[in-house]
Amino acid sequence: MEISKNDSDVIWVGTGEVNAGGGSLAYDGDGIYKSTDGGITWEVKGLPDIGSISKILIDPNDDNTLFVGGMGPLFRNDNNRGVYRSTDGGTTWEQKLFVSDSTGIIDMAIHPTNGNIVYAASWERIRRPQYRQYGGETSRIYRSTDGGENWTELTNGLPSLASEKGRISIAISQSNPNVLYARYADRNGSIQGVYRTANGGDSWTAVNSAALTNVGFHWWFRGIVIDPEDENILYNVDFEVQKSTDGGNTWSGAFVNAHVDQHALAFNASVPGEVLMGSDGGLFKSSDSGDSWFKYENLPITQFYRMYVDSNNENKIYGGAQDNSTSRTQTGSAGDWQIIYGGDGFQPLADPANTNTIYAQYQYGSIGKSINNGGSFTNATTGISNGDRKNWDTPLVFDPNNSQILYTGTQRVYKTTNGAGNWTAISSDLTNGPGGGNLTFGTVTSIDVSALNSNKIIVGTDDGNVWITQDGGANWNNVSSSLPNRWVTKVLASKTNPNRFYVTLSGYRYGADEGHVYVSSNNGNSWADLSATLPDIPVNDIVQGANGRLYLATDVGVFGSANSGTSWESMDANIPNVVVTDLFIDEATDYLYAASYGRSIYKIDLSQVVLSKNEVNGLAQITLFPNPTSEYLTIQSPFTLEGRSLKIYNQLGAQIFEDSLIQEAQNNLCSGNLLTGLYFVTVSSEKPQKNCSFSNQVHCELSRNLGLALCPVAHVTNG
């Protein structure tokens, strides 16, 4: 973010997360935005393809001249990266510095009074699902003295070996612009050194970096920031914040114990000593240059991976968050959450048979269990091999028919029958192997157990495999040969059809933007793509409501379908255009919860949601067939019928049934006009005018003599 020094209502924002994580994700952005009214309204200003944006700089003498640093797409090599310049206020852009298709610009600085002098730090970064390289020879510092037309690499006194050069941060002193500092991480992520120049970058000298906390993943942090009033006061915004008042000779703590993993620091130029610090823990403010601080607690900015609602108490909501542990509210309040389990938080569970029994996770499959409502936790991974490969976000699910039975996955599937007292592997390796890289890969990413048959278990992996067992794990069948080779984000067994299940995929980690939703109605023997009406973005989760409707979590929000996925509608009311990682339906309240990666958790009352496409006043096929286990005729329909008027037509177009006319329906049934097979239906949003209630309690039994009756609700199967 950059604010014009000439007009504080002019704000420029670059999207995306430049500090790529390890197991955690950093999301690419979609370009540049500008506001001229202090952030009330925004306009798109281009550069949608340059991945994540590290810096926006405004020429101090010309608000129409801007420089942008682009890191490029995270998971693929691409030429859309480097330094971009606009001289017409963002209407057009030129790429002015390009290093390589795997090297982007991670940081920039501009002279506070001379816009011709610009600095850029490049970062050689390659990321794949199974591999990362976070440094190399093309990690460099460049300088331009002609407003970005030409660039020269600065080398005098700076590291030269490829192994010494990783992520670089650079900062220029506002009080003495000849002074700049640069902090180097090496190729492996350790702090290599901090360097100072007093002549605008012509030569550099190492300062003391031995006292800096060195945790080994310094590509994740901000780096050096200089106090605008004093060139010798600098902060290393890092795993923790450390401060020097003598130009880097000695260091002491600042913002002590605020949180780990710091990403931003800003000064109030009007109030000496007032500093804001942004970290994985949120936003912090100090009035005494970091000696003391307080945290803003009212910002909905948590990055949630997973969530869960206690089926016995709708107010007990659990969430697992990036670097913010597993938290819970017991009041349902947005401002009343407490941490109950540490680490990066992932899938929490609350036993439906006992509200005091809770499961929680931190990264790479570490599972804890509490039997005292979260008061304390014990390790719950006995029997799971320490040598197994475990995903950063390891799945953990109940058998919906028995909460003492749970499943988790490594490269294989584990089962417990005694509430995680011990685990036993029930499969071999279901992946294609570890992938040959330096990251954990070849892992199970999703598990689902059919509510209609506990022996039916479906599994997805990060390397594109989908497996199914129908005998509790004795035999497994790989059913993904015709699916795209993508990261499997979710497998979901249908709640209404024992042979149907869904798979969602994300191409993001494979360097592709698209995501897909597939359905199989024959246990994986064949597949249908349900993505036609979706935007071409990754899909992260799918859930099914009690009425058969489907809901998707995507990188741009939540979508719903009332017709078994034939078409999808954006459910964007009151939810930001944000990455949604997890969905959860609380069946007791019929609320859908959406956990987002950066804007906390939202909920919506599904009983108030109208999904209109092909639902109201539409014409579509339905199937009528006898139910062998009851006296009723079953309607297989993609529509929600309760509270709507239903008309059924035969294949010749003749109306044979209308739910508001009991006698007509009786006559048609008794005369044999209503036969099993394919028919057509129209659904009106108006309720029936006559006294005919279609509900789970009233079946409108029309003719017991035929052994059939029409029940549009109790026996509706919605996909």
Side-chain angles (χ1 to χ4, degrees):
M1 181 182 294
E2 188 72 6
I3 303 172
S4 167
K5 293 179 173 60
N6 301 311
D7 182 354
S8 60
D9 282 337
V10 175
I11 307 171
W12 291 83
V13 168
T15 58
E17 297 180 283
V18 295
N19 295 330
S24 61
L25 278 181
Y27 284 95
D28 292 338
D30 67 343
I32 302 282
Y33 293 79
K34 180 185 180 182
S35 174
T36 58
D37 52 17
I40 296 173
T41 61
W42 296 87
E43 59 178 320
V44 177
K45 299 302 287 187
L47 300 178
D49 301 320
I50 68 170
S52 53
I53 293 168
S54 61
K55 259 311 177 52
I56 302 174
L57 302 176
I58 304 174
D59 187 317
N61 302 307
D62 180 7
D63 271 10
N64 287 315
T65 298
L66 302 105
F67 300 89
V68 167
M71 273 303 298
L74 175 59
F75 281 98
R76 66 177 182 268
N77 289 15
D78 190 290
N79 289 339
N80 292 296
R81 61 186 76 217
V83 174
Y84 291 80
R85 184 186 68 182
S86 174
T87 57
D88 54 13
T91 301
T92 60
W93 296 90
E94 294 179 275
Q95 187 186 52
K96 304 306 294 186
L97 174 64
F98 173 76
V99 182
S100 81
D101 64 0
S102 61
T103 304
I105 300 301
I106 189 59
D107 206 358
M108 297 185 72
I110 192 168
H111 193 287
T113 60
N114 184 354
N116 286 320
I117 301 176
V118 188
Y119 301 85
S122 62
W123 183 18
E124 184 176 330
R125 182 182 71 183
I126 300 172
R127 178 74 185 269
R128 299 294 184 268
Q130 76 280 20
Y131 173 78
R132 72 169 177 236
Q133 176 188 318
Y134 280 179
E137 194 278 324
T138 57
S139 294
R140 305 164 180 166
I141 294 178
Y142 291 88
R143 179 179 64 189
S144 174
T145 58
D146 55 8
E149 284 296 327
N150 298 281
W151 297 83
T152 302
E153 182 185 358
L154 303 180
T155 59
N156 189 1
L158 294 173
S160 59
L161 297 178
S163 61
E164 297 176 318
K165 300 193 296 181
R167 190 200 188 282
I168 304 167
S169 75
I170 188 167
I172 189 168
S173 169
Q174 300 297 300
S175 59
N176 180 0
N178 286 321
V179 173
L180 294 92
Y181 293 86
R183 195 211 66 190
Y184 276 66
D186 65 22
R187 183 169 175 165
N188 294 323
S190 296
I191 292 178
Q192 192 277 335
V194 177
Y195 299 85
R196 182 181 191 271
T197 178
N199 53 20
D202 291 340
S203 60
W204 298 77
T205 303
V207 300
N208 176 28
S209 61
L212 297 179
T213 302
N214 203 338
V215 294
F217 51 102
H218 294 273
W219 26 259
W220 184 239
F221 312 120
R222 171 65 190 91
I224 297 295
V225 179
I226 307 171
D227 188 305
E229 301 298 323
D230 189 336
E231 68 204 63
N232 291 310
I233 299 177
L234 53 150
Y235 297 78
N236 187 42
V237 184
D238 204 272
F239 179 74
E240 56 189 12
V241 180
Q242 291 172 277
K243 177 182 177 181
S244 175
T245 59
D246 55 12
N249 291 318
T250 61
W251 298 87
S252 60
F255 288 91
V256 175
N257 295 325
H259 200 272
V260 295
D261 295 4
Q262 328 299 338
H263 299 286
L265 200 74
F267 302 88
N268 186 342
S270 302
V271 182
E274 187 170 291
V275 188
L276 296 176
M277 189 270 287
S279 77
D280 277 8
L283 178 63
F284 299 81
K285 179 180 178 180
S286 174
S287 298
D288 52 17
S289 301
D291 291 340
S292 62
W293 52 266
F294 75 89
K295 179 183 177 181
Y296 291 91
E297 298 282 1
N298 59 344
L299 296 174
I301 55 175
T302 303
Q303 295 174 312
F304 279 103
Y305 288 112
R306 302 288 169 204
M307 65 154 300
Y308 199 83
V309 180
D310 190 327
S311 61
N312 296 296
N313 184 348
E314 65 188 81
N315 292 319
K316 293 178 73 172
I317 305 168
Y318 298 81
Q322 159 62 30
D323 212 27
N324 278 271
S325 309
T326 298
S327 298
R328 174 185 67 183
T329 175
Q330 298 190 80
T331 64
S333 170
D336 182 28
W337 289 70
Q338 295 82 37
I339 290 175
I340 60 172
Y341 197 64
D344 290 82
F346 290 94
Q347 182 63 66
L349 296 175
D351 191 335
N354 184 350
T355 189
N356 291 313
T357 299
I358 302 162
Y359 300 89
Q361 288 181 295
Y362 58 83
Q363 61 267 38
Y364 296 118
S366 297
I367 304 169
K369 179 180 180 180
S370 173
I371 58 174
N372 58 4
N373 195 32
S376 60
F377 282 81
T378 57
N379 176 62
T381 60
T382 300
I384 300 174
S385 173
N386 290 329
D388 278 11
R389 302 186 300 273
K390 304 175 183 71
N391 196 270
W392 176 259
D393 178 8
T394 298
L396 179 67
V397 299
F398 284 125
D399 180 332
N401 302 301
N402 184 346
S403 61
Q404 286 297 297
I405 299 175
L406 297 92
Y407 296 86
T408 189
T410 58
Q411 71 267 30
R412 46 189 170 166
V413 177
Y414 283 84
K415 176 181 180 179
T416 176
T417 59
N418 55 7
N422 61 280
W423 298 83
T424 302
I426 62 167
S427 79
S428 59
D429 189 341
L430 299 182
T431 75
N432 300 325
N438 57 5
L439 295 177
T440 301
F441 188 66
T443 63
V444 171
T445 54
S446 182
I447 303 172
D448 198 36
V449 183
S450 171
L452 306 177
N453 176 8
S454 290
N455 286 318
K456 180 178 178 179
I457 307 164
I458 309 160
V459 173
T461 70
D462 55 12
D463 54 5
N465 288 335
V466 177
W467 294 80
I468 182 172
T469 177
Q470 300 189 71
D471 53 17
N475 297 280
W476 292 86
N477 184 29
N478 189 326
V479 295
S480 53
S481 60
S482 62
L483 293 176
N485 183 25
R486 294 287 185 264
W487 189 290
V488 179
T489 53
K490 182 66 176 288
V491 292
L492 176 71
S494 169
K495 294 183 177 181
T496 58
N497 185 326
N499 299 316
R500 181 170 297 164
F501 67 94
Y502 303 87
V503 172
T504 63
L505 307 172
S506 171
Y508 179 56
R509 295 176 181 85
Y510 285 76
D513 295 327
E514 72 268 13
H516 292 280
V517 185
Y518 285 84
V519 62
S520 175
S521 296
N522 51 18
N523 289 315
N525 291 321
S526 61
W527 295 91
D529 187 353
L530 301 180
S531 312
T533 63
L534 286 171
D536 213 12
I537 38 81
V539 180
N540 303 316
D541 194 12
I542 183 171
V543 294
Q544 186 175 40
N547 59 5
R549 289 181 176 182
L550 297 170
Y551 303 94
L552 295 179
T554 77
D555 276 9
V556 295
V558 180
F559 290 79
S561 175
N563 53 17
S564 301
T566 301
S567 61
W568 300 91
E569 294 177 65
S570 175
M571 297 171 60
D572 57 1
N574 298 323
I575 190 170
N577 189 345
V578 67
V579 173
V580 177
T581 52
D582 197 29
L583 296 175
F584 184 89
I585 295 177
D586 180 20
E587 295 182 355
T589 62
D590 204 26
Y591 269 89
L592 172 67
Y593 290 79
S596 77
Y597 199 73
R599 288 297 302 275
S600 204
I601 295 175
Y602 291 75
K603 70 176 182 179
I604 189 170
D605 184 351
L606 289 178
S607 68
Q608 303 300 311
V609 173
V610 175
L611 296 174
S612 59
K613 288 184 179 177
N614 296 322
E615 182 182 22
V616 177
N617 298 325
L619 185 66
Q621 283 189 344
I622 63 171
T623 303
L624 307 177
F625 54 92
N627 189 326
T629 62
S630 77
E631 60 192 6
Y632 302 120
L633 192 71
T634 297
I635 296 180
Q636 182 171 321
S637 166
F639 305 122
T640 303
L641 300 175
E642 190 168 10
R644 301 181 186 276
S645 177
L646 172 71
K647 296 179 182 179
I648 299 176
Y649 302 82
N650 65 21
Q651 295 182 8
L652 298 178
Q655 179 177 313
I656 58 173
F657 178 73
E658 182 175 6
D659 63 4
S660 60
L661 300 175
I662 294 291
Q663 187 60 47
E664 181 180 337
Q666 252 182 337
N667 292 339
N668 278 304
L669 278 171
C670 293
S671 64
N673 290 336
L674 190 59
L675 304 176
T676 60
L678 284 176
Y679 286 80
F680 294 90
V681 61
T682 62
V683 183
S684 170
S685 59
E686 297 180 359
K687 293 183 179 180
Q689 298 299 310
K690 296 191 178 182
N691 185 20
C692 177
S693 176
F694 288 85
S695 68
N696 289 326
Q697 288 75 38
V698 180
H699 298 297
C700 293
E701 297 172 12
L702 302 177
S703 177
R704 287 185 180 275
N705 293 331
L706 284 177
L708 299 174
L710 194 62
C711 178
V713 173
H715 294 292
V716 169
T717 59
N718 295 289

